[in-house]
């Protein structure tokens, strides 16, 4: 997996959160080791299928960061992860993947997106079961951490 | 979402677990209400994309049932959900969706599968964020419960 594939996702995460919530995430060091695991309290996941490749994308947030994004976007500060927060995380997942899809389409990499799924549960972990390379990228914010994970594989 | 779409998944879950692990799951009552939420300790998720539709499938297991399946398949009984268990849940997710894909393909419903993602975390919840109908189906076994959730939507 090369930078052509990864950078559109990194850029889309930062753009979406900056535009929608005036939240500026500070990117950390990407990890491509197999034993790293994305972890968070609420995660959005989406599957991607193209003519030559398939894959999955996830974005995980600490509860406190998810609530801060909610507060900045809608002016509300829920006391915990409720259905409005999971709806918001589903929307962010769609918007980030849609942004990356447009950029990748311009470079000749076409794929379609499945519908997003949102997982909640304190400190849950996400493992992308693909034979292809996986990239985990942490982001820092004073309200908490986010992780994205991207995984692409050849279609069998 | 009609029975043509749902039954192939129900049948595939029972077939895969019966064949692979001699585990006979007893299907419960399907739920199509919006406020039902699939819940478990380890879940496999997969995205699906076809020419006219997109969707997602998940299968969630109680820890004890996942460990029992592992024991029946491989003769090992891990003390908790380790990477072998998550690999197995990813494989089950692939096999169930692949089985349903074949049956649905014969009926003229074509879709491609993304790569599976496995979530772990005590009592986590799964919400499929699709505009289409969602179906949650519980299964009972003496070792614990499983849930599947299927969701299909028109492609935009």
């Amino acid at each position: 997996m090369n930078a052509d594939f990864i950078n559109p996702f990194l850029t889309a995460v930062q753009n979406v959160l900056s535009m929608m919530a005036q939240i500026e995430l500070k990117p950390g060091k990407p990890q491509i080791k197999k034993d790293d695991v994305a972890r968070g309290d609420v995660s959005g996941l989406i599957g991607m299928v193209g003519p030559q490749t398939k894959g999955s994308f996830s974005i995980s947030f600490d509860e406190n960061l998810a609530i801060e994004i909610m507060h900045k976007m809608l002016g509300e500060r829920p006391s915990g992860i409720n259905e409005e927060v999971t709806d918001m995380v589903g929307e962010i997942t769609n918007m980030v993947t849609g942004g990356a899809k447009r950029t990748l389409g311009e470079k000749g990499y076409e794929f379609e997106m499945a519908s997003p799924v949102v997982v909640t549960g304190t400190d849950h972990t996400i493992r992308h079961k693909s034979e292809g390379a996986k990239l985990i990228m942490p982001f820092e914010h004073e309200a908490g951490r986010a992780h994205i994970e991207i995984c692409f594989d050849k279609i069998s």
Side-chain angles (χ1 to χ4, degrees), chain A:
Chain A
M1 194 162 50
N2 61 35
D4 269 5
F5 257 73
I6 297 155
N7 288 338
F9 287 92
L10 306 191
T11 306
V13 168
Q14 293 181 289
N15 285 349
V16 166
L17 288 173
S18 175
M19 280 188 310
M20 301 287 293
Q22 295 81 52
I23 293 263
E24 307 300 329
L25 291 182
K26 190 178 157 215
K29 197 170 173 292
Q31 309 282 329
I32 49 170
K33 277 183 274 173
K34 276 201 163 179
D35 49 352
D36 285 307
V37 171
R39 196 178 283 271
D41 302 317
V42 55
S43 298
L45 302 102
I46 200 162
M48 299 172 286
V49 181
Q52 302 99 12
T53 188
K54 61 182 177 176
S56 48
F57 167 78
S58 63
I59 183 161
S60 299
F61 298 98
D62 289 350
E63 175 173 324
N64 200 42
L65 177 55
I67 287 171
E68 177 66 15
I69 296 168
M70 188 81 184
H71 178 62
K72 288 279 189 73
M73 271 177 68
L74 300 179
E76 295 167 33
R77 190 183 289 280
S79 60
I81 294 168
N82 60 16
E83 186 148 2
E84 284 175 304
V85 174
T86 67
D87 279 350
M88 178 194 76
V89 169
E91 267 311 299
I92 290 171
T93 308
N94 252 334
M95 291 175 72
V96 168
T97 315
K101 173 176 154 64
R102 275 192 298 279
T103 311
L104 286 165
E106 287 163 14
K107 292 173 193 276
Y109 302 111
E110 299 284 351
F111 62 85
E112 294 296 331
M113 293 153 54
S115 42
V117 178
V118 177
V119 175
T120 55
T122 303
D123 210 23
H124 64 259
T125 61
I126 308 276
R127 288 178 182 79
H128 293 251
K129 298 288 179 184
S130 165
E131 286 160 29
K134 296 164 198 115
L135 179 124
I136 300 182
M137 178 91 188
F139 292 91
E140 299 280 350
H141 186 271
E142 58 186 18
R145 284 158 62 95
H147 285 89
I148 65 172
E149 189 160 353
I150 310 159
C151 186
F152 275 104
D153 200 3
K154 298 274 180 236
I155 234 166
S156 54

